[in-house]
Amino acid sequence: MGKAKSEKAGTPSKTKSGASRPYPDFNLDDPKLPEEIDERALKSGGYPYDNKLKRKPYEEQLQALQLELIKLQDHVQAKRERVVVVFEGRDTSGKGGCISRILERINPRHSRAVALSKPTDAERGQWYFQRYVAHLPTRGDMVLFDRSWYNRAGVERVMGFCTEDETARFLRDAPEFEALLVRDNIHFFKIYLTVGREMQLKRFHERQHDPFKRWKVTDVDIAAIGKYDDYSRAEADMLRFTHTTISPWTVINANDQRRARLEAMRVLLSSLDYAEKDASAVGAIDPKLTESGADYLARAYPPS
């Protein structure tokens, strides 16, 4: 991957109201993160906690939840059920980290992550959902999508990789496609991770200057730095059209990745019954961090 262009990352653009975006001089290549961004990162986007979850309580809860996930997988195999979890969210929101912790302790023969690259020429000529259908689970398996068909409602729309008509058709068709999955008795979950603007900038900066994470920074990511508001509008439309009774969204504030990972596990474990379930180990979903797509939409994007 080529070197990130700081000029592109720092170019100011206009919001819908015409005001310049904050931090127009943010330089991804500068090894020093601006102090103002660092100080505001955790609380950005209305994050409800003043501090990140400490490592010890995190690891204790993680171990307990991973044990419950083993029980869940045993149940899914024994009952020949199917589980599909779609993870979506803003760039740097931690989708891969959530998926990795969920899969970490369970049998990889019956659980897997799916993270598709850009479509081939042949795939571009197919029905849009076709290449995703090929990765749906057989009986007894669990599949977690690290981004999914919702690329069309997010990055493809914002970056101009699809037309307005294609976006409109997708927003119309996605609920129908998902209803087919649910009616075929697939346990289907959609989890959306959101992060505040300053936290996203901080994470982009960390990735750019960490040799073990730099591979995550793509040209599309660089372009996304200046399109936070465009992604917000796409996010609102996605939730408005595709949060349905049969396939609802669950939104998790992921400014603290540790808390977000635990919340994602609790969403799955709280929603499914399985043998020897320990409700005290699963715990309660945190309403400060986790809400329905409809509630998030009403709070974050109230009617003007």
Side-chain angles (χ1 to χ4, degrees), residues 18-256:
S20 293
R21 299 180 190 278
Y23 316 115
D25 297 324
F26 173 71
N27 186 340
L28 192 63
D29 292 333
D30 189 336
K32 181 174 176 57
L33 179 69
E35 185 175 336
E36 183 180 16
I37 293 176
D38 193 28
E39 290 176 349
R40 294 183 178 181
L42 183 61
K43 298 290 287 183
S44 62
Y47 194 73
Y49 292 105
D50 293 328
N51 298 290
K52 294 183 178 181
L53 183 64
K54 299 291 186 182
R55 179 176 293 277
K56 184 176 180 180
Y58 165 68
E59 291 180 346
E60 290 173 350
Q61 293 177 60
L62 178 65
Q63 185 177 61
L65 291 169
Q66 287 179 331
L67 179 58
E68 293 301 303
L69 286 167
I70 292 173
K71 297 178 188 177
L72 172 61
Q73 186 185 46
D74 289 343
H75 174 86
V76 169
Q77 286 183 251
K79 299 297 183 181
R80 303 288 289 166
E81 296 181 352
R82 292 167 293 169
V83 177
V84 172
V85 189
V86 165
F87 277 89
E88 290 289 343
R90 291 184 183 271
D91 293 309
T92 78
S93 59
K95 299 176 289 295
C98 285
I99 291 170
S100 294
R101 299 316 181 277
I102 290 171
L103 297 179
E104 187 174 24
R105 304 287 186 181
I106 60 179
N107 187 344
R109 293 184 180 88
H110 297 283
S111 58
R112 68 183 188 277
V114 174
L116 301 185
S117 58
K118 66 181 182 179
T120 64
D121 288 340
E123 288 170 335
R124 280 193 287 270
Q126 297 171 350
W127 176 49
Y128 182 73
F129 296 95
Q130 187 168 337
R131 73 184 189 129
Y132 297 100
V133 170
H135 295 276
L136 293 174
T138 190
R139 296 191 182 278
D141 285 4
M142 301 169 59
V143 170
L144 284 66
F145 283 91
D146 185 348
R147 293 199 182 277
S148 66
W149 44 92
Y150 280 99
N151 276 332
R152 175 132 296 179
V155 64
E156 289 185 23
R157 174 186 178 179
V158 172
M159 302 305 298
F161 298 153
C162 65
T163 67
E164 292 184 7
D165 285 345
E166 287 172 329
T167 300
R169 285 202 302 272
F170 171 83
L171 294 173
R172 178 198 65 198
D173 293 345
E176 296 180 13
F177 170 67
E178 292 161 7
L180 291 174
L181 304 183
V182 176
R183 287 198 293 269
D184 201 47
N185 296 318
I186 290 177
H187 297 294
F188 183 61
F189 299 88
K190 297 189 299 190
I191 296 176
Y192 187 84
L193 305 179
T194 186
V195 291
R197 187 192 299 264
E198 287 84 357
M199 180 55 77
Q200 186 184 59
L201 291 176
K202 181 176 181 178
R203 289 180 183 171
F204 272 132
H205 188 270
E206 288 175 348
R207 289 180 177 184
Q208 177 68 5
H209 296 281
D210 183 337
F212 294 107
K213 295 181 178 180
R214 186 173 289 186
W215 64 269
K216 295 183 177 183
V217 183
T218 67
D219 290 340
V220 173
D221 292 330
I222 301 303
I225 292 175
K227 293 181 177 291
Y228 190 92
D229 293 332
D230 295 328
Y231 273 101
S232 293
R233 286 187 284 273
E235 171 185 287
D237 283 344
M238 182 196 75
L239 294 172
R240 186 174 295 113
F241 286 100
T242 67
H243 176 84
T244 66
T245 301
I246 197 168
S247 60
W249 281 101
T250 298
V251 180
I252 300 174
N253 190 317
N255 276 13
D256 180 356

